[in-house]
Amino acid sequence: MKDLDRLAAPGTPERELVDRLTPSSLPRHVAIIMDGNGRWARQRGLPRVEGHRAGIRAVRDTVEAAARLELEALTMYAFSTENWKRPRWEVRTLMALLKEYLAKELRTMVDNNIRFRPIGRLGELEPEIQQGLAQAVELTSKNTGLTFQIALNYSGRSELVDLVRYAVAAAHSEKLSPDTIDEEWVAAHLTTAGMPDPDLLIRTSGELRISNFLLWQIAYAELHFTPVLWPDFTTRDLIQAVADFARRERRYGGVVEGGHDNTEEAAE
Ligand code: IPE
Ligand code: IPE
Ligand code: MG
């Protein structure tokens, strides 16, 4: 890691955690369900939209920290297909903040070698946002550092529905036969095609649920739930989650040599 001092100042507890991380103990891909903006605002007697505004700072800091940690990918859940159910003014504010974010952060993404990649049913977003997204994709497409995926009008189920529709249409036109379909084929036809599955999924605000995020991709993700409300989430919280991940033992359904004691075997 190059930018260590900017990630965590020397002598701080976070720096100690970072110093203990080895490249192989780091997650390649971190996914985050950013939750708790509304509650953050309510605690302060502010309207919900102020929580969303404050949440932008946390997005900016987290993207930067992920780039400094040299992660391969960061996927953040910004707007779900179910979030259209919210009051019109709240949806409008979220879309306005997204436009503002794209305009302000494009430069930072370009300068930090970040590749921007929106996922979700983007065609249902307003044209101006679609243009902003396309521009950000285009201007960052040659970058080789962190891939920053932002999930907009996204849900895991709608993504799977779209995939099934595509497969049926392709089968009808005889471009696809059932035996072509295996797990690799499915992964390669999701919006996240080409990215490794998330190793670590973080959800803020104390809710213990997935809320329709990356259902296929998180099959073996390690889960990290924190009570911190999204606007209060800092680089320190990301480092803590990553350090916690580094201590986990992943088994993928198998057994790990030298892992946890197998009592039956020990008794033999
Ligand atoms: C997360 O914060 C932001 C989005 C879903 C866009 P919320 O707005 O869900 O905040 P709470 O859960 O009401 O506190
Ligand atoms: C999940 O948060 C969606 C995003 C973070 C964009 P929600 O606040 O919408 O989820 P629920 O309603 O608590 O499950
Ligand atoms: Mg919420």
Side-chain angles (χ1 to χ4, degrees):
M1 269 174 255
K2 287 176 240 99
D3 263 336
L4 266 192
D5 286 357
R6 291 174 75 191
L7 184 65
T12 58
E14 302 84 79
R15 179 56 175 269
E16 258 175 55
L17 289 175
V18 171
D19 284 337
R20 263 184 263 142
L21 293 170
T22 58
S24 65
S25 68
L26 278 175
R28 291 173 70 190
H29 183 175
V30 174
I32 305 184
I33 302 173
M34 315 183 265
D35 198 16
N37 293 352
R39 277 161 284 171
W40 183 93
R42 198 174 59 215
Q43 282 177 0
R44 287 162 178 76
L46 297 168
R48 290 179 58 82
V49 293
E50 290 309 317
H52 297 314
R53 203 174 291 286
I56 301 270
R57 181 213 48 85
V59 174
R60 203 181 300 125
D61 289 0
T62 304
V63 171
E64 223 175 285
R68 298 223 163 98
L69 276 166
E70 294 175 9
L71 303 183
E72 210 172 303
L74 173 71
T75 302
M76 303 183 96
Y77 206 4
F79 194 85
S80 76
T81 52
E82 286 78 22
N83 287 149
W84 296 109
K85 284 190 259 180
R86 295 188 178 202
R88 257 168 65 115
W89 54 266
E90 183 172 343
V91 170
R92 222 180 290 141
T93 307
L94 284 166
M95 294 301 155
L97 286 172
L98 173 61
K99 275 185 236 170
E100 213 178 294
Y101 179 86
L102 285 171
K104 276 201 194 139
E105 295 304 311
L106 183 54
R107 191 74 256 148
T108 324
M109 291 193 268
V110 172
D111 292 346
N112 287 287
N113 196 22
I114 293 168
R115 188 166 72 107
F116 180 74
R117 192 184 199 222
I119 59 168
R121 287 183 172 163
L122 306 177
E124 292 170 4
L125 297 170
E126 44 180 279
E128 200 189 324
I129 290 185
Q130 292 187 44
Q131 279 159 21
L133 294 171
Q135 191 197 20
V137 168
E138 157 115 30
L139 290 174
T140 63
S141 66
K142 302 235 159 49
N143 289 350
T144 53
L146 177 79
T147 297
F148 169 34
Q149 294 195 116
I150 185 163
L152 295 166
N153 193 25
Y154 174 89
S155 76
R157 285 188 174 182
S158 64
E159 179 179 40
L160 292 169
V161 165
D162 291 345
L163 174 70
V164 174
R165 283 184 184 157
Y166 168 80
V168 171
H172 267 302
S173 55
E174 292 176 7
K175 282 192 209 113
L176 180 70
S177 79
D179 31 301
T180 310
I181 301 177
D182 56 14
E183 293 192 6
E184 281 71 39
W185 186 91
V186 172
H189 289 82
L190 294 171
T191 57
T192 49
M195 303 310 300
D197 284 339
D199 303 292
L200 171 63
L201 172 68
I202 300 171
R203 182 169 187 147
T204 59
S205 89
E207 306 295 354
L208 306 180
R209 55 179 173 259
I210 300 299
S211 301
N212 217 346
F213 193 37
L214 299 174
L215 297 178
W216 170 276
Q217 297 88 338
I218 60 166
Y220 271 102
E222 295 292 326
L223 308 180
H224 181 98
F225 296 102
T226 165
V228 173
L229 300 175
W230 178 252
D232 290 328
F233 192 86
T234 60
T235 299
R236 188 185 310 154
D237 296 301
L238 180 69
I239 291 171
Q240 253 153 17
V242 166
D244 173 46
F245 168 87
R247 286 191 295 268
R248 306 262 185 112
E249 181 187 87
R250 304 180 80 189
R251 295 190 217 142
Y252 302 98
V255 283
V256 174
E257 293 250 345
H260 288 294
D261 185 25
N262 178 329
T263 30
E264 227 172 88
E265 213 173 84
E268 270 174 28

